[in-house]
Amino acid sequence: MAPKLGLLAMVEAKPGKEQEVWAFLNGGREIVDNEPGTRTWYAFRVSENTFGIFDTFDTEEDRQAHLNGAIPAALAEHGPAMLAKDPDIKLIELIAVK
């Protein structure tokens, strides 16, 4: 069964903090490995200072568990030092998955 729900979070690094954001996102994989409800998790770079996270979930409960989990907590703690502005987080519904 394909996942039905997702999250898209876009973040912008402060000037000079791009490598810190890269390292933070790279370390996030270990955290989500312990989240059975997070089906897929991608961290990516769009431009020099713009990064994103894309996750997928089977249920709303799984998505909410992730939103209340360790990565958002770490982002809330460390984000002000690394990010130019608050993350832009969108709850999405998946239409088609391959």
Side-chain angles (χ1 to χ4, degrees), residues 12-57:
E12 182 181 332
K14 286 182 177 179
K17 299 292 184 175
E18 296 86 0
Q19 198 57 39
E20 286 182 43
V21 173
W22 178 288
F24 175 85
L25 293 175
N26 192 42
R29 181 174 177 256
E30 293 176 23
I31 294 171
V32 296
D33 278 346
N34 296 315
E35 294 182 357
T38 302
R39 287 277 301 269
T40 62
W41 185 86
Y42 302 89
F44 56 91
R45 185 178 213 164
V46 176
S47 68
E48 184 63 30
N49 66 334
T50 303
F51 299 82
I53 300 170
F54 174 69
D55 321 78
T56 64
F57 312 91

